[in-house]
Amino acid sequence: MMKIFYSEAHRKHYPPFEVFDGGLRVPYLENPDRMDRILNALRDVNWADISEPMDYGLDPIYAVHDREYIDFLASAWTEWLATTSKDKSTLIPATFALRRQPQKPKSLLGRAGYYIMDLSACIVEGTYRAALASANCALSAAEAVANGERSAFGLCRPPGHHAGKDYAGGYCFINNASVAANWLSTKGKVALLDIDYHCGNGTQDIFYSRDDVLTISIHADPDFEYPHYAGFAQERGSGRGFGFHHNFPLPAGTEDMAYLKTLEDALELIRKYTPKYLVVSAGMDIYADDPLGTIKVTTNGIAEIGKRIAALGLPTVIVMEGGYNNDALGRNIIGFLGEFK
Ligand code: SP5
Ligand code: ZN
C-alpha cells in the first residue's frame, strides 16, 4: 500500500480563466478535473491508501515563505471584492514589480503585481484555503516517510514549484514540495528532484543559498519556455549553496531515450550527495501530448522514470505538480507511482 494524501479543498480554487501569451483568455488549464482523473485511476488499483492530510498550521509554511506574502494570499480575495474593479471574477494584476529597487505599495493591485509573477496564478475565493490544504498534503506525505514509509504521495492541487519565497506564479501559491523538503531537512539531508516540464524556479529560489537541500530540476530550456528567467544550466546556487543546485535544460522534442540519459546524470548527483530523504516534484507535463509541453516522453517513459528514481532506494515523498492532458493524467501517475509501492 502507498499512503496518499488528498483534500477536497482544491475544488473551490477554480479561476474562470487565465491569460496566455498574446493576451488570450483561455479556460483555466490547472482545473479540478485533473484531480478527479487521478482519483479515478487510483480507485482502480489495490495499493492506494487515500486519506485526508493533517493540519500543520502556518509555521512550516512560514519556514520557507515570506510572512507578508502569505498574509497577502490570506486577505487578497476579501480586499479584491472591496475594490471598484468592473470584473471581479478573479484577481489578476496587469502590472508587475520590477524587483530592482523593491517598493511595496499599499494598494491591493500594487501588492498583487508585487507578489504575482504572471497571469496564471489567478486568485479566487477558495484559493488560499486550497493552497494551505495542498501544502498539508505534502507535509503529511513527508511525515509518513519520516515515520518509515518507503514512499508517500501528496496529491497536491494547486501545484507549488513555481512559487518562490515571496511570489506566486504558474498556477502555484505555496511551494508544497519545498515546504515538505524543508520540514524533512531537520531530520537529515534532503535531495529534491523536479521532473515537471517547467523549471521549478520557486524551489530554486527557496533553496538557492542552502547546502542542506540539494535541488535538481530537469525541464524545457527556459531559453524558449516558461518561466523564461530561471532554469539555465549555469545557475548553480550561491554562497554556501554553490554546487547544490542543478538545472538540466532540454530542447523541444526530447524523447524517452534522451530524457532518460539526462535523468541518469541527475540521479548520479543524488547518489553522490547521499541524502537521507528524496522529494520528487512530479509534474506529468513532460508527457508527449501535454497541451503546454514540447517534450515527448511517453506513458511507458514516465513509468521508466519512476522505476529509475525508485531504484535509488531512498525514502521518497512524491508531490504532484503540473500535467494538463487530463485524459492521460490517471495512467501516467499510476505508471509513475506504481514503481514506488
Ligand atoms: C505547475 C505548472 O506546470 N505550471 C505551468 C504554468 C505555465 N504557464 C505558462 C503558460 C504559457 C502559455 N503558453 C501557451 C502555449 C500553448 N501551446
Ligand atoms: Zn509544469
Side-chain angles (χ1 to χ4, degrees), residues 66-301:
D66 176 85
R67 229 169 230 268
E68 284 182 39
Y69 165 64
I70 299 298
D71 289 349
F72 159 77
L73 291 179
S75 66
W77 181 253
T78 317
E79 291 183 62
W80 179 233
L81 291 184
T83 64
T84 55
S85 306
K86 257 196 196 141
D87 180 351
K88 288 192 240 191
S89 59
T90 183
L91 166 59
I92 303 186
T95 308
F96 298 91
L98 288 170
R99 293 194 174 193
R100 290 170 187 150
Q101 301 158 296
Q103 300 289 322
K104 237 180 262 175
K106 284 199 188 67
S107 69
L108 172 66
L109 281 168
R111 279 177 292 136
Y114 186 89
Y115 289 123
I116 299 173
M117 63 177 259
D118 63 23
L119 301 176
S120 68
C122 310
I123 292 174
V124 294
E125 184 174 11
T127 301
Y128 182 58
R129 251 175 283 174
L132 292 178
S134 193
N136 280 324
C137 289
L139 281 163
S140 298
E143 184 164 27
V145 166
N147 288 340
E149 293 289 327
R150 187 261 180 273
S151 67
F153 180 44
L155 179 46
C156 297
R157 177 177 186 274
H161 76 148
H162 295 304
K165 281 186 190 121
D166 61 352
Y167 59 87
Y171 312 138
C172 302
F173 302 89
I174 292 173
N175 195 316
N176 310 308
S178 293
V179 169
N182 180 66
W183 186 89
L184 277 173
S185 72
T186 62
K187 303 175 193 306
K189 279 202 296 185
V190 176
L192 192 161
L193 175 64
D194 188 330
I195 62 162
D196 187 278
Y197 169 75
H198 305 93
C199 164
N201 61 286
T203 306
Q204 176 172 332
D205 175 53
I206 287 165
F207 294 109
Y208 209 59
S209 58
R210 285 174 59 168
D211 61 6
D212 59 334
V213 180
L214 173 75
T215 50
I216 301 176
S217 182
I218 306 172
H219 48 254
D221 195 333
D223 216 23
F224 71 88
E225 185 54 275
Y226 180 93
H228 301 297
Y229 311 107
F232 296 88
Q234 64 268 29
E235 297 160 27
R236 300 285 315 284
S238 69
R240 64 186 295 170
F242 184 80
F244 295 91
H245 181 77
H246 297 268
N247 288 317
F248 290 94
L250 296 172
T254 299
E255 295 182 351
D256 288 356
M257 292 304 280
Y259 190 96
L260 290 167
K261 201 160 171 285
T262 300
L263 178 69
E264 284 305 328
D265 293 341
L267 296 179
E268 190 49 32
L269 293 170
I270 295 172
R271 282 187 207 101
K272 283 208 185 104
Y273 186 66
T274 62
K276 186 166 181 192
Y277 300 108
L278 178 67
V279 176
V280 180
S281 267
M284 294 291 121
D285 38 10
I286 50 174
Y287 178 58
D289 288 322
D290 193 278
L292 280 186
T294 63
I295 283 180
K296 300 293 170 195
V297 172
T298 63
T299 296
N300 285 337

